[in-house]
């Protein structure tokens, strides 16, 4: 079974702190994604990565950065946490597209971040 | 810009009923479509992925169909059980097969 593991299920941080959210997948997937999920707003893409050291901005990258130094690990960084970044953060991965076939997207369990 | 709509937003049914969840999308030039399940406070679990060349996929009591020309997908759940209670989301891939657009989900409650 594919496993996407997010290091922290629950975090409480203070405004201005630097926050690291870690995600590791064990299936050698090329593509990895970070979403946030908020009531009434659904899932919104923050950043994604097609391969090691590659990153692309999603729909709401402001206030976030990412790091992908190894294929299995994709980190989301909040440089200076703010209260409006209180949310559920979801990491996902999938294999690279192969011809006309796009692989399934697999999600981690989520990290609920509260910024006070 | 692709928009994905799921109606109804919430549904309550007695145990044992067969039910259909709907997903509609505005741009029919999609690559494929994936259905997910989400339990409260948890991540999304993949249920079914329908490739663009397919019209349906089945897994156990679940059957998902895709009609690209009409911009619709349905998820059929047979003989519903209380354990099926969750939020169900559909997501469509863009024409390049890269980016997903998610629907808002249908919150399903199956009562014993």
């Amino acid at each position: 079974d594919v496993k996407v593991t997010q290091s922290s299920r629950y975090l409480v941080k203070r405004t201005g702190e630097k926050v690291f959210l870690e995600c590791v997948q064990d299936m050698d997937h090329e593509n990895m994604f970070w979403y946030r999920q908020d009531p009434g707003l659904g899932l919104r893409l923050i950043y994604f990565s097609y391969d090691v050291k590659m990153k692309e901005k999603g729909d709401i990258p402001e206030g976030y950065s990412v790091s992908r130094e190894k294929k299995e690990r994709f980190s989301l960084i909040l440089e200076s946490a703010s209260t409006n970044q209180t949310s559920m953060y979801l990491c996902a991965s999938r294999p690279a597209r192969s011809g006309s076939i796009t692989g399934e997207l697999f999600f981690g369990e989520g990290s609920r971040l509260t910024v006070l | 810009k692709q928009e994905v709509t799921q109606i109804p937003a919430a549904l309550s049914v007695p145990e044992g009923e067969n039910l259909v969840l709907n997903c509609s999308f505005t741009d029919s030039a999609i690559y494929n479509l994936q259905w997910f399940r989400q339990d409260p406070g948890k991540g999304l679990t993949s249920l079914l992925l329908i490739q663009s060349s397919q019209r349906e996929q089945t897994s156990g009591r679940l059957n998902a169909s895709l009609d690209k020309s009409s911009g619709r997908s349905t998820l059929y759940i047979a003989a519903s059980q209380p354990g099926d209670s969750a939020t169900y989301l559909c997501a469509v891939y863009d024409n390049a097969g890269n980016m997903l657009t998610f629907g808002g989900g249908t919150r399903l409650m199956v009562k014993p």
Side-chain angles (χ1 to χ4, degrees), chain A residues 37 45 94 97 100 102 104, chain B residues 38 46 51 93 96 98-99:
Chain A
Q37 185 177 31
L45 181 63
R94 70 171 187 210
R97 181 174 151 181
S100 62
T102 299
E104 256 180 294
Chain B
Q38 186 175 31
S46 176
Q51 300 287 345
Y93 285 79
N98 294 325
M99 304 312 302

Side-chain angles (χ1 to χ4, degrees), chain A residues 47-58:
Chain A
Y47 266 98
F48 59 100
S49 170
Y50 285 130
D51 210 335
V52 177
K53 296 194 184 293
M54 296 177 67
K55 59 184 179 184
E56 297 283 343
K57 293 180 179 179

Side-chain angles (χ1 to χ4, degrees), chain B residues 19 47 105:
Chain B
L19 55 99
L47 296 174

Side-chain angles (χ1 to χ4, degrees), chain A residues 23-88:
Chain A
C23 175
V24 177
Q25 48 93 6
D26 66 357
M27 285 301 292
D28 203 35
H29 286 170
E30 288 79 11
N31 303 164
M32 296 188 75
F33 304 81
W34 275 106
Y35 291 88
R36 65 178 281 179
Q37 185 177 31
D38 301 285
L41 296 176
L43 277 96
R44 293 180 291 170
L45 181 63
I46 305 171
Y47 266 98
F48 59 100
S49 170
Y50 285 130
D51 210 335
V52 177
K53 296 194 184 293
M54 296 177 67
K55 59 184 179 184
E56 297 283 343
K57 293 180 179 179
D59 298 321
I60 52 163
E62 296 79 18
Y64 303 94
S65 62
V66 291
S67 173
R68 186 129 182 241
E69 295 297 317
K70 293 184 177 181
K71 191 174 187 179
E72 67 270 20
R73 187 181 297 271
F74 191 36
S75 303
L76 180 68
I77 304 153
L78 287 67
E79 295 290 343
S80 178
S82 63
T83 55
N84 63 12
Q85 292 179 310
T86 292
S87 186
M88 169 71 102

Side-chain angles (χ1 to χ4, degrees), chain B residues 66-77:
Chain B
L66 175 63
D67 184 345
K68 289 169 64 174
S69 62
S70 67
R72 293 174 60 181
S73 176
T74 59
L75 178 67
Y76 175 82
I77 303 176

